[in-house]
Amino acid sequence: QSALTQPASVSGSPGQSITISCTGASSDIGTYDYVSWYQQHPGKAPKLLIYDVSSRPSGISSRFSGSKSGNTASLTLSGLQAEDEADYYCISYTSTSTLVFGTGTKVT
Amino acid sequence: EVQLLESGGGLVQPGGSLRLSCTASGFTFGSYAMNWVRQAPGEGLEWVATVSGPGGSTYYADSVKGRFTISRDNSKNTVFLQMNSLRDEDSALYYCAKTYSSSWYKGHWDYWGQGTLVTVSS
């Protein structure tokens, strides 16, 4: 199972909105609404931001939102803040009963 | 407060074995699937394995299937990862993570440990 494809980097200015894409295939994102997103700051464990494509766990800011169209899932960060600078990863369930991460995106 | 504490990492030669442990506290351990996720230095995240709450079902990434075994002891709130036939490419920081809900396949993990480092080298 190949990793899902994410842009290597995305940049934005404070207050702006940015979107990170996560492209898979019909065997993963295209079929299942089991896409999650994680944020990881350097030297820290990942943090769950979004699950089931667009649901937020309690305590996660509404500035983070998720969506999906076809084989591509997206994470949107609204009202960009300095502390949003981090690495972001998507993950999806696959038709072979495995989980596959995206390649990761560095947000600056 | 939920806590996950990994241990067992270290330096091992190619072809060798290592057993990782993750001891949990602060939640009803047996009610949640538990997972191992790894990250090679400077690289991205890779899901390794998942074990169901009762322990009867296990799932593995293709890269470790047949070499790694995940298990758990609910009486001790501990999940294990037995790693055999280790390769250079298995070198990574290994995280233990708790599944957010009862659905292991959603890949949603709400609590993570700080990781234990495994280095495979001669």
Side-chain angles (χ1 to χ4, degrees), chain B residues 5-10 19-23 36 78-79 81 94 115-116:
Chain B
L5 184 61
E6 303 99 335
S7 61
R19 189 195 198 202
L20 307 183
S21 300
C22 171
T23 301
W36 288 97
T78 302
V79 59
L81 186 68
Y94 283 72
T116 185

Side-chain angles (χ1 to χ4, degrees), chain A residues 22-40:
Chain A
C22 170
T23 301
S26 58
S27 56
D28 40 65
I29 293 176
T31 296
Y32 304 100
D33 288 335
Y34 303 138
V35 178
S36 297
W37 288 89
Y38 291 87
Q39 176 192 62
Q40 186 180 34

Side-chain angles (χ1 to χ4, degrees), chain A residues 2-82:
Chain A
S2 300
L4 307 174
T5 301
Q6 298 180 231
S9 63
V10 174
S11 61
S13 300
Q16 282 187 331
S17 293
I18 60 171
T19 296
I20 302 169
S21 62
C22 170
T23 301
S26 58
S27 56
D28 40 65
I29 293 176
T31 296
Y32 304 100
D33 288 335
Y34 303 138
V35 178
S36 297
W37 288 89
Y38 291 87
Q39 176 192 62
Q40 186 180 34
H41 287 106
K44 301 293 187 181
K47 177 182 180 181
L48 179 64
L49 297 177
I50 296 287
Y51 67 97
D52 290 355
V53 174
S54 59
S55 297
R56 278 188 308 275
S58 58
I60 297 300
S61 170
S62 59
R63 296 189 300 105
F64 297 96
S65 61
S67 62
K68 189 186 90 166
S69 178
N71 296 341
T72 298
S74 299
L75 174 71
T76 297
L77 285 67
S78 305
L80 208 58
Q81 299 179 1

Side-chain angles (χ1 to χ4, degrees), chain B residues 69-113:
Chain B
T69 302
I70 189 171
S71 61
R72 64 192 296 161
D73 183 340
N74 287 347
S75 69
K76 297 182 178 179
N77 285 8
T78 302
V79 59
F80 305 98
L81 186 68
Q82 177 66 44
M83 305 186 296
N84 299 330
S85 303
L86 282 162
R87 306 166 179 167
D88 291 351
E89 56 264 35
D90 295 319
S91 295
L93 185 65
Y94 283 72
Y95 290 105
C96 168
K98 168 190 169 290
T99 299
Y100 182 56
S101 74
S102 59
S103 308
W104 79 269
Y105 46 85
K106 296 192 175 187
H108 57 341
W109 308 311
D110 55 349
Y111 288 96
W112 297 61

